[in-house]
Amino acid sequence: MSLGEGNAGLRAMAHPVRLQILSLLTGSALTAAEVARELGLTHANASYHLRNLHSAGVIVLAGEEKIRGGVAKRYRYEAARDRLPESAEERGEIFVALGHELIRRAAQGRWSATAEPPPAPALMADGDLWIDPVKWREIHGKIAEAVRELHDIAQPPRTPGTIRTNTSVAMFEMES
């Protein structure tokens, strides 16, 4: 997740709805009305969250269009702009926020092997591991590349022929 300009970006990310909005805006540029419909929000609430994310530099304006006599702004999340805050405290807070979002998403997971079609097997990895630093950077780079590819191929919500997925990655070095 991109955190924009320091504390402003962190504050913008502090709300769980905003994390959901970032996920939506990865696959396509959307208006407040489209975000509201997808997440079951009011138009005013979606607009409020989009303004917060935009003013913090977390999302970008991707265009404007005239709709029913007004102007609708389209916003987009650009994963290529991702960066974590410099402060260790702020980085910790963002990982906690992502942990809460993972709990929400796991409740919506397709876990049943009897579902039609059956879901791909879930993948989960966790470890407090001691790794050679050269291998660590190599593997870190491969995972970062895979995450960028997922963001690059993301489609708008409910695009025919797509499935809804979750990918949450947190990788960092720890104090020895």
Side-chain angles (χ1 to χ4, degrees):
M1 301 282 149
S2 176
L3 294 179
E5 301 303 318
N7 288 338
L10 182 64
R11 282 191 302 276
M13 299 283 295
H15 197 287
V17 167
R18 294 184 192 145
L19 292 173
Q20 294 175 46
I21 289 172
L22 289 179
S23 291
L24 286 176
L25 297 180
T26 298
S28 64
L30 300 174
T31 65
E34 292 165 333
V35 169
R37 275 192 300 276
E38 187 64 31
L39 297 181
L41 304 173
T42 65
H43 186 274
N45 198 1
S47 293
Y48 170 78
H49 289 299
L50 287 166
R51 281 192 311 273
N52 273 280
L53 290 165
H54 184 254
S55 67
V58 178
I59 60 175
V60 297
L61 186 62
E64 296 181 346
E65 60 189 66
K66 290 185 180 184
I67 298 177
R68 291 185 290 277
V71 176
K73 295 179 179 180
R74 289 194 170 277
Y75 295 96
R76 176 115 179 140
Y77 168 62
E78 295 178 347
R81 300 175 63 222
D82 274 354
R83 62 191 180 283
L84 286 170
E86 306 251 340
S87 153
E89 179 182 340
E90 290 174 341
R91 282 192 305 269
E93 289 178 29
I94 200 66
F95 283 125
V96 168
L98 289 172
H100 289 294
E101 178 62 4
L102 180 58
I103 291 168
R104 184 196 67 78
R105 291 178 189 173
Q108 297 177 4
R110 282 185 73 220
W111 307 112
S112 173
T114 61
E116 287 298 326
L123 171 64
M124 204 291 286
D126 179 55
D128 180 343
L129 310 169
W130 291 81
I131 306 292
D132 173 89
V134 173
K135 289 301 288 180
W136 163 255
R137 291 202 182 275
E138 178 185 322
I139 292 169
H140 186 283
K142 289 177 183 177
I143 293 172
E145 183 179 329
V147 170
R148 278 191 299 275
E149 183 178 352
L150 282 170
H151 278 91
D152 289 347
I153 64 169
Q155 300 293 311
R158 305 177 199 291
T159 297
T162 64
I163 57 171
R164 185 176 176 203
T165 66
N166 174 70
T167 301
S168 301
V169 176
M171 296 179 73
F172 47 90
E173 292 183 30
M174 298 177 64
E175 296 291 333
S176 294

